[in-house]
Structures are given as structure tokens and as C-alpha cells.
């Protein structure tokens, strides 16, 4: 999974990490979780 090293490092630093694989649910999840920081990996498929 891309970014898994980042996820592991943040968890090691005691950050709560939530990985979202469905872009359609991103808005609802950010409203519910009110994140301090949001990383988005955008992939364009051709």
C-alpha cells in the first residue's frame, strides 16, 4: 500500500491514523473525524 511507511511512522509516534480507500466517502469521514492533518495520494489511471 502506498504510504504505508508514513502510516506506520505516524502510528509509532502515537498519532491516530485512518486510511480511506474510497474517495466518495472522504468528505463524510473528514466531517466526522475532524482531522488535524490530511494526506491525499492522488493516482490518475489512463
Amino acid at each position: 500500500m502506498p504510504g504505508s511507511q508514513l502510516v506506520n511512522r505516524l502510528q509509532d509516534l502515537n498519532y491516530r491514523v485512518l486510511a480511506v480507500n474510497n474517495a466518495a466517502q472522504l468528505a463524510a469521514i473528514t466531517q466526522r473525524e475532524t482531522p488535524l492533518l490530511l494526506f491525499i495520494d492522488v493516482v490518475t489511471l489512463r
Side-chain angles (χ1 to χ4, degrees):
M1 168 184 234
S4 62
Q5 290 180 342
L6 176 61
V7 169
N8 291 336
R9 182 65 177 140
L10 289 172
Q11 288 175 334
D12 289 346
L13 294 170
N14 294 321
Y15 283 93
R16 184 172 51 100
V17 177
L18 177 63
V20 178
N21 295 324
N22 186 339
Q25 296 177 344
L26 186 59
I29 291 171
T30 55
Q31 285 179 338
R32 183 181 71 233
E33 298 294 329
T34 58
L36 180 61
L37 187 60
L38 178 67
F39 290 97
I40 300 175
D41 184 16
V42 179
V43 178
T44 303
L45 301 176
R46 295 179 189 214

